[in-house]
Amino acid sequence: FLQEQLACAIAHLLNAVFGNLSSDHATGGNAERNSKRSSKKSKKASASGEWVSVNTKEFWNALCQEAKNYYAFDLKVDCVDAVVEQYGVQKISLLRRLCRTLGIQLLNKDYQLDSSSTRARQPFAEDDIQNLIPVTKHRQPCASDAKKLFTRGQQAMQVGHLREAYECIAESVNLMTSVYGALHSELAQALRLLARLSYILGDPTEAVAQQHRAALMSERCNGIDHAYTIIEYINLAHFAFSNLYIPAALRLLYRARYLLLIAHGENHPLMAQIDGNIGVILFAVHEFDTALRFLQSAEAVMTANGEPKRLKPALIQHITARAHASRGDFRAALAAEKETYSIYNNLFGPEHDKTKESSEYLSQLTMQAVAFQRKVMDATKGNSVGPLLPAQNFGYPISEWSTHTL
């Protein structure tokens, strides 16, 4: 009886948050709907309790009042659609966050949360509530000796003693394995740093192996949609690309992008890094049109988040210029490379190597544009001109664009 009433109450709460429960739905409609799927005992359960009278308007009024009293924040909304419109969040992200905070486990299906849908008034039913998981605050004990070695390795890495850092982190991994066993979240973080050190020390194969272990551990210990797991996927994609596992690198980045999109939305700062990496790889395999879409998306996210124009925006503009040039759009290529030159000139001055390289590439683009126009004119006259577009050399590895997160 208690379980049936609890499931019905949770479904009613979710419908009040994400649906459109009016007073008549709150008092009778929801109970009538659930009665078609439940026993007589469930009917009585769904009809009792103070939660039955809660509707969408009352819920959001109470939430706004609570935000005002407790946080001194004016939350001027009356439904979830107003939250989405005002703050630019996704309903699926709100649902995920609410379920993780309250420990609600839902049935895996496509919920109709769109306000235009006829089922959006009550998108959740009693049968959708699968389980409740206790959410407790606790402090997880750590292996003190392994933690000290891990910290020492981080400090050695910061001052440039890479070999010493590698030895400390490797010993820390051994101690953590002895204390925690084969799977632990802290062990995954140590393996991530060990993989990065292996990559810096010139062993990309070992880096892939260590990072693969870290990704598997994070999936099992933190969850497939955890922030650490998304970072593990991105790092594994970097190392896979360095070993020329290009299809695997793209699949990992697409997976990380999908999870980040569900969890945090399109405008998360990490989305710019993922889209930039995808654009770099697609440019390397000569998928210029698709690469441009991801590069432009990365640029839009960085602009939306107010990221200053430094090395990352400069590099993405440079790759965008190369992609435009490979497609024959030299006007757009020149505009993008001028932006790159402006950033390098403001950061490093006109005598820096990067500024000079950008200036030289601007000159090359100008000459290529003139040569391309001449070939087009000759081709219209019926003359043999050979290939119209010059080959674009890709001179930037993915590691220069991406930033590994410890």
Side-chain angles (χ1 to χ4, degrees), residues 217-256:
M217 286 186 192
S218 184
E219 284 179 346
R220 286 159 175 76
C221 297
N222 300 320
I224 60 173
D225 59 346
H226 195 273
Y228 282 164
T229 305
I230 296 174
I231 293 174
E232 306 298 357
Y233 287 151
I234 297 173
N235 290 342
L236 185 56
H238 298 164
F239 302 142
F241 182 76
S242 66
N243 284 273
L244 299 182
Y245 303 147
I246 293 178
L250 282 174
R251 285 197 299 269
L252 287 165
L253 288 173
Y254 288 142
R255 175 66 174 170

Side-chain angles (χ1 to χ4, degrees), residues 4-14 30 34 45-46 51 126:
E4 293 172 350
Q5 187 180 26
L6 189 60
C8 192
I10 293 172
H12 186 90
L13 169 66
L14 294 177
N30 193 40
N34 289 327
S46 61
W51 53 266
E126 180 182 344

Side-chain angles (χ1 to χ4, degrees), residues 184-196 207-208 210-220 222-224 226-240 252-253 255-256 259 270 273 404-406:
H184 197 272
S185 57
E186 290 186 5
L187 184 57
Q189 296 181 39
L191 286 171
R192 182 201 310 168
L193 184 55
L194 192 64
R196 186 184 183 191
V208 168
Q210 300 289 2
Q211 186 59 43
H212 186 243
R213 289 180 58 195
L216 291 176
M217 286 186 192
S218 184
E219 284 179 346
R220 286 159 175 76
N222 300 320
I224 60 173
H226 195 273
Y228 282 164
T229 305
I230 296 174
I231 293 174
E232 306 298 357
Y233 287 151
I234 297 173
N235 290 342
L236 185 56
H238 298 164
F239 302 142
L252 287 165
L253 288 173
R255 175 66 174 170
L259 293 174
L270 190 59
Q273 179 182 337
H404 299 285
T405 306
L406 293 180

Side-chain angles (χ1 to χ4, degrees), residues 94-144:
L94 289 175
L95 176 61
R96 173 185 173 275
R97 181 63 177 171
L98 181 63
C99 290
R100 287 180 64 90
T101 302
L102 300 180
I104 302 173
Q105 187 177 35
L106 295 177
L107 181 66
N108 185 15
K109 73 174 188 179
D110 186 13
Y111 293 96
Q112 301 297 325
L113 301 179
D114 189 3
S115 58
S116 61
S117 174
T118 56
R119 296 186 59 187
R121 295 180 63 87
Q122 298 187 63
F124 301 95
E126 180 182 344
D127 297 336
D128 296 331
I129 312 302
Q130 297 294 297
N131 196 6
L132 279 180
I133 302 171
V135 179
T136 59
K137 293 182 179 180
H138 68 286
R139 186 178 185 275
Q140 190 168 352
C142 64
S144 57

Side-chain angles (χ1 to χ4, degrees), residues 371-387:
F372 176 74
Q373 189 63 32
R374 288 176 180 173
K375 288 182 179 181
V376 170
M377 294 178 63
D378 291 340
T380 56
K381 296 177 181 179
N383 300 329
S384 178
V385 295

Side-chain angles (χ1 to χ4, degrees), residues 23 26 36 71 111 127 129 252-253 255 267 282 313 338 343:
S23 299
K36 297 179 181 179
Y71 297 102
Y111 293 96
D127 297 336
I129 312 302
L252 287 165
L253 288 173
R255 175 66 174 170
N267 290 328
L282 291 174
K338 286 179 181 177
I343 295 174

